[in-house]
C-alpha cells in the first residue's frame, strides 16, 4: 500500500488511522480491559469454540454436539488459534480475527486506488465492523467475510481465483456460494463455478476421508425453532402479549421460540427463502448486461435475501453484509450506496439489540419489539432496494454479456 519512497498513498491515511483506533477499542473490549454492557459475548470463544477445538484436534468432528452446525472447513477456523501456541485459545482467536480484519482493510485500500475504483468501500469497512461492537471479534464470521471480500475483489480479472475462494468460503459457512450468482456468462462463469466446485468438492471429500463425522452437521438442524431475532420471530414477540403459550429457550446454540405455530412460521421462512432464490434464478436468466460491478452487486443482493428471509438472524450475520457492501462500494460503477447505508444503520441497531438491550428482546417487551422491527425493517428495505437496482442495471440495459465494460477495459490495460 505504500507509494513512492514508502509513503502512504494519498487518501488512505484517515481510514487507516480510524481503523487502528476502532480496532484497538474492539480488542480492549474482547480482552476485557473495558467491560462492555450486556451479556459476555466472548463466552462463545472461550467455552464453545474452545470445546470444539479440544474435540477437533483429536481428529474427529463433534459427533454428539448438536450446536456444531457448520460445514467441514469451519474446523480450520476453530483450529486456527493453534497457529499462535504462545497464547491461550481465546486471546489467539481474537488476534487472528483482528489480522483477518486487517487483511480486508488492506484489500479494500489497495482496490480503492486502482482505476474505476474508490475508497468508499474501505470507509464502509472502517465504520461497519465496530458498529457491531465486540461481537465482531468474538465469532469466526469475520474470517469468512475476509475470504468472501477477497473472492469478489479478485473476480473481475481472476475468475478462477474467485471460484476457489468462494468454494473455500462455502465450506466455511455455506453463504459464500452465493458470491457466484453474478459472474459474467460464458468463460468467466465456467472458470469460477468450475473452480468453486473442484475446491468445495475436493475439500469435502478430504475431510470426509480424514475425519469421522464430517456430515454430522446436516442432521443437527431438523428440530430447530425460530430464532428470536429473525424476521418471523416478530409474530411471536407480539403474540406473547396476547396469551401465546410458547417458550423462549436456548435451543441448538441460539435463543429460539418453541411452541404452537413455530413449525409453521419456520416453514414459511424456508418458503420465503425458496421464493427469494427463485427470483435470483429469474434474474440470472433475464439479465442482459453484466458490467464491472455486477458480480459484487448480485452477491450483495443474494446474501441480503438469504439473511433477511432466514429463520435465524444472528448479530454476526451483519458482518457478511458489511463486507459485501464494502466490496460493492469499492467500485465506481456500483449503485449499491443506499442499500449499503441501510446495512450500516441495521448494524448499529443490532448493537443496541445485542448485547446492550438483549434482555428486552428475550422478554418481548415493547422496547425489544421496536428494536427488532427497526433492524429487520432496515434489512428488508436494503434487500428490496438492492434487488430493484440490480434488476434495473442488468435486465433493462443493453445486451453486453460477454463484452468487458469501459471500466473493465481500463483496468485490464493498466494492470
Amino acid at each position: 500500500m505504500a507509494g513512492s519512497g514508502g509513503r502512504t498513498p494519498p487518501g488512505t491515511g484517515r481510514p487507516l488511522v480510524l481503523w487502528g483506533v476502532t480496532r484497538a477499542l474492539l480488542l480492549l473490549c474482547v480482552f476485557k480491559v473495558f467491560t462492555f454492557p450486556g451479556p459476555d459475548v466472548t463466552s462463545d470463544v472461550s467455552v464453545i469454540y474452545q470445546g470444539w477445538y479440544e474435540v477437533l484436534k483429536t481428529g474427529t468432528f463433534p459427533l454428539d454436539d448438536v450446536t456444531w452446525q457448520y460445514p467441514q472447513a469451519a474446523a480450520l477456523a476453530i483450529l486456527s488459534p493453534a497457529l499462535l501456541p504462545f497464547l491461550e485459545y481465546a486471546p489467539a482467536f481474537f488476534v487472528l480475527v483482528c489480522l483477518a480484519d486487517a487483511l480486508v482493510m488492506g484489500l479494500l485500500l489497495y482496490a480503492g486506488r486502482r482505476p474505476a475504483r474508490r475508497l468508499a468501500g474501505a470507509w464502509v469497512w472502517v465504520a461497519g465492523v465496530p458498529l457491531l461492537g465486540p461481537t465482531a471479534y468474538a465469532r469466526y464470521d469475520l474470517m469468512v467475510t475476509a475470504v468472501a471480500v477477497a473472492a469478489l475483489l479478485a473476480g473481475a480479472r481472476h475468475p478462477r481465483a474467485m471460484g476457489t475462494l468462494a468454494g473455500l468460503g462455502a465450506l466455511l459457512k455455506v453463504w459464500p456460494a452465493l458470491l457466484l450468482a453474478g459472474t459474467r456468462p460464458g468463460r468467466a462463469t465456467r472458470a469460477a463455478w468450475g473452480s468453486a466446485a473442484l475446491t468445495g468438492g475436493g475439500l469435502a471429500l478430504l475431510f470426509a476421508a480424514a475425519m469421522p463425522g464430517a456430515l454430522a452437521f446436516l442432521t443437527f438442524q431438523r428440530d430447530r425453532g425460530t430464532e428470536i431475532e429473525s424476521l418471523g420471530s416478530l409474530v411471536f414477540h407480539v403474540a406473547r402479549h396476547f396469551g401465546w403459550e410458547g417458550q423462549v429457550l436456548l435451543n441448538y446454540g441460539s435463543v429460539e421460540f418453541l411452541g404452537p405455530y413455530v413449525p409453521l412460521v419456520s416453514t414459511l421462512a424456508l418458503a420465503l427463502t425458496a421464493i427469494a432464490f427463485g427470483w435470483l434464478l429469474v434474474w440470472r436468466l433475464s439479465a442482459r448486461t453484466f458490467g464491472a460491478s455486477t458480480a459484487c452487486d448480485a452477491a450483495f443482493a443474494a446474501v441480503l435475501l438469504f439473511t433477511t428471509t432466514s429463520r435465524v438472524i444472528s448479530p454476526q450475520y451483519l458482518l457478511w453484509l458489511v463486507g459485501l457492501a464494502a466490496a460493492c462500494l469499492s467500485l465506481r460503477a456500483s449503485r449499491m450506496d443506499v442499500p449499503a447505508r441501510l446495512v450500516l444503520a441495521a448494524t448499529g441497531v443490532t448493537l443496541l439489540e445485542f448485547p446492550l438491550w438483549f434482555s428486552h428482546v428475550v422478554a418481548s417487551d415493547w422496547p425489544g419489539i421496536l428494536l427488532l422491527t427497526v433492524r429487520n425493517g432496515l434489512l428488508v428495505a436494503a434487500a428490496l432496494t438492492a434487488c430493484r437496482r440490480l434488476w434495473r442495471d442488468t435486465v433493462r440495459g443493453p445486451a453486453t454479456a460477454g463484452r468487458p465494460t469501459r471500466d473493465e477495459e481500463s483496468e485490464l490495460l493498466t494492470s
Side-chain angles (χ1 to χ4, degrees):
M1 292 182 294
S4 60
R7 293 175 296 177
T8 302
T12 61
R14 282 192 299 168
L16 273 174
V17 169
L18 286 174
W19 181 90
V21 170
T22 54
R23 276 36 174 197
L25 290 173
L26 286 180
L27 286 172
L28 289 172
C29 287
V30 294
F31 279 108
K32 299 182 180 178
V33 176
F34 297 152
T35 302
F36 202 81
D40 179 12
V41 300
T42 66
S43 61
D44 273 21
V45 176
S46 57
V47 178
I48 298 175
Y49 284 14
Q50 189 164 0
W52 290 339
Y53 171 82
E54 297 298 331
V55 175
L56 288 166
K57 72 179 184 179
T58 66
T60 182
F61 286 94
L63 295 169
D64 301 318
D65 187 347
V66 296
T67 63
W68 176 261
Q69 299 173 17
Y70 307 105
Q72 298 95 321
L76 301 177
I78 302 302
L79 290 168
S80 63
L83 296 171
L84 303 176
F86 48 88
L87 292 175
E88 294 183 358
Y89 184 87
F93 182 87
F94 301 143
V95 169
L96 289 172
V97 172
C98 186
L99 290 175
D101 186 353
L103 173 63
V104 175
M105 187 63 183
L107 290 172
L108 290 167
L109 287 174
Y110 175 75
R113 306 306 304 177
R114 296 182 62 79
R117 305 282 182 132
R118 52 180 172 163
L119 287 173
W123 280 111
V124 169
W125 186 252
V126 167
V129 174
L131 277 176
L132 196 63
T135 303
Y137 274 21
R139 305 291 187 271
Y140 84 91
D141 294 78
L142 197 148
M143 296 177 176
V144 185
T145 303
V147 175
V149 171
L152 287 176
L153 294 181
R157 294 185 297 147
H158 305 290
R160 284 190 177 84
M162 178 186 186
T164 298
L165 290 168
L168 172 61
L171 262 288
L172 284 166
K173 210 163 189 181
V174 180
W175 66 266
L178 296 171
L179 301 179
L180 303 175
T183 53
R184 182 182 295 277
R187 183 181 302 172
T189 288
R190 290 193 297 271
W193 293 20
S195 295
L198 285 173
T199 302
L203 282 174
L205 288 174
L206 183 62
F207 277 111
M211 297 178 68
L215 300 178
F217 74 99
L218 295 173
T219 66
F220 291 158
Q221 299 241 9
R222 64 181 62 163
D223 296 324
R224 293 202 67 160
T226 293
E227 194 256 351
I228 66 169
E229 297 164 87
S230 66
L231 185 63
S233 74
L234 287 168
V235 173
F236 300 111
H237 283 293
V238 174
R240 291 178 81 183
H241 291 267
F242 297 93
W244 180 68
E245 297 179 353
Q247 303 177 76
V248 175
L249 296 173
L250 183 63
N251 188 50
Y252 291 86
S254 65
V255 183
E256 299 181 349
F257 283 118
L258 298 173
Y261 305 108
V262 171
L264 173 62
V265 171
S266 296
T267 300
L268 290 174
L270 291 173
L272 196 57
T273 300
I275 292 170
F277 285 165
W279 181 89
L280 279 173
L281 178 60
V282 171
W283 166 78
R284 175 77 192 190
L285 296 174
S286 304
R288 304 170 65 222
T289 303
F290 285 77
S293 67
T294 301
C296 288
D297 293 349
F300 185 37
V303 177
L304 269 168
L305 288 172
F306 174 78
T307 303
T308 305
T309 60
S310 175
R311 58 181 173 169
V312 177
I313 304 181
S314 296
Q316 61 269 23
Y317 291 10
L318 275 294
L319 287 173
W320 314 347
L321 303 176
V322 168
L324 299 186
C328 288
L329 266 60
S330 69
L331 294 159
R332 293 189 184 278
S334 177
R335 295 182 63 249
M336 292 294 164
D337 300 67
V338 171
R341 293 190 188 101
L342 291 170
V343 163
L344 289 177
T347 306
V349 177
T350 299
L351 176 62
L352 296 177
E353 174 260 307
F354 182 88
L356 294 180
W357 285 2
F358 193 58
S359 59
H360 293 283
V361 176
V362 173
S364 297
D365 60 21
W366 292 114
I369 292 174
L370 177 62
L371 274 176
L372 279 182
T373 301
V374 172
R375 196 280 302 275
N376 291 344
L378 287 167
L379 289 179
V380 170
L384 293 176
T385 304
C387 290
R388 182 168 178 262
R389 293 191 171 197
L390 180 66
W391 186 274
R392 278 189 170 184
D393 289 348
T394 58
V395 175
R396 296 184 181 179
T400 59
R403 294 205 312 269
T405 64
R406 290 183 179 178
D407 287 342
E408 289 169 331
E409 288 173 350
S410 174
E411 243 189 304
L412 291 170
L413 288 171
T414 56
S415 61

